[in-house]
Amino acid sequence: MNNEIYHGMKNFQRETFVTGFFANELSNTIGVPLEHENNMYAMFLRPDIKLLFNEMRVLFALLLGLSIFISILLVIFITKFLVKPIASLTKGTKSIADGNLEVNLDIDRNDELGELAESFNKMTDKLKHSEKMRNDFMNNVSHDIQSPLSNIKGYTDILENNISNKKAPDQQANREYLHIIKEETERLSQLTDQLLLFSSLKNQEDILHKDQFNLTGELKKIIRNKQWKLDEKEIMISYSIPEINVIGDENLLNEVWDNLLGNAIKYNQPGGSIEVSAEEGDSFISITFSDTGIGISSEEKKRIFERFYRADSSRTSRVKGSGLGLTIVLMIVELHHAGIEIDSKPGEGTSVSVSLPKK
Ligand code: ADP
């Protein structure tokens, strides 16, 4: 080719890269002129595929070995770090589903799985706590239903005996027994009302029907309804309630005022006094019930919003209650995004303030 380079390999017609690469033909070479002892030659070159393949085989074998080794390492890693904790989480979940809450995962690590295990442990703690609360709740409800029922049964037995003995009736005593029976029935009825309200508040049913209403009228109505109880205990009541409209659920808020005024009467001394006041601030309206009653110690104050909690002084005294009143009050207050504050001195009196947001 007159000393020019022959580019057969470059110009070789190939259907695919591989077949072109493998074709062992002269036209698939590079040809260069070569001078040797004053003679001109042409040298044609192409790669030695066999030699290349030998090297490739070694390379492939090495790659295969390495990938098997890496796979084994990965399997060990995945089993130890992923499968095991997930398996113990699955076991824990199954055990909770079967009702066994005594599960504590022993997974101590700082990654997402560790976080999941920590949340799982927190969840089981919460479940245990609510299980305990549910049991306590059942015990309290059963006890609170049982005790008036046994009183009612006891006094009706006495009345029945009195009638069947055909003795001259002791009207005074009989009247007293009937009065106790009536009181206990009222207590049961109040308890069931409270339980129903508590359960619907707890289930967050669509219970809140907010509207604007006249607070002054409502508070005065509740005070009027309690007048006979106030008279019975000879308690003086004074109120300063300016004309105020509030936005909220009238019925539920009435439950709050009724409970707070009820407590101010129940836990007051005979001949004591109560002051009800309402004040309108910039963004809140606060309603306060102050009494001159037995008061609440700071230890008791921490617990009075717990369901069924009754301070010792209330348990031992003849004051009847379920311990659900303030729990319900707090639930309604929270539903209204309102606040409640209690200020009390044992032996001197208690002041309970509810602040309702104006908007
Ligand atoms: P109860 O049905 O016992 O009144 P509450 O939930 O209304 O239940 O109140 C819980 C406890 O808080 C009461 O048992 C009582 O000891 C205490 N308490 C509530 N209000 C007053 C108050 N105005 N003065 C003194 N103690 C109070």
Side-chain angles (χ1 to χ4, degrees), residues 196-211:
L196 276 174
L197 181 60
F198 175 77
S199 132
S200 46
L201 285 169
K202 186 98 191 109
N203 295 331
Q204 296 277 311
E205 282 168 17
D206 192 13
I207 192 170
L208 204 63
H209 302 293
K210 280 192 181 176
D211 220 338

Side-chain angles (χ1 to χ4, degrees), residues 263 266-267 291 295-296 304 309-311 314 321-326 350:
N263 282 349
K266 265 196 294 187
Y267 302 110
D291 64 57
I296 310 165
I304 50 176
Y309 177 76
R310 308 201 65 218
S314 332
S322 63
L324 268 180
L326 284 182
T350 305

Side-chain angles (χ1 to χ4, degrees), residues 79 86 96 99-100 109 133 173 207 218 221 223 236 270 320:
T79 320
I86 289 176
I96 287 179
N100 172 23
R109 41 198 282 179
M133 298 248 291
I207 192 170
E218 291 304 321
K221 201 158 75 190
I223 295 173
M236 277 273 298
K320 302 255 192 282

Side-chain angles (χ1 to χ4, degrees), residues 10 30 109 117 148 171 182 184 193 202 221 241 248 250 261 283 292 301-302 340 353:
K10 187 170 155 197
I30 295 174
R109 41 198 282 179
Q171 296 289 9
K182 194 171 152 228
E184 294 295 54
D193 283 349
K202 186 98 191 109
K221 201 158 75 190
I241 313 169
E250 192 176 331
L261 184 60
S283 44
T292 52
K301 211 168 109 178
K302 287 182 204 148
I340 183 162
S353 232

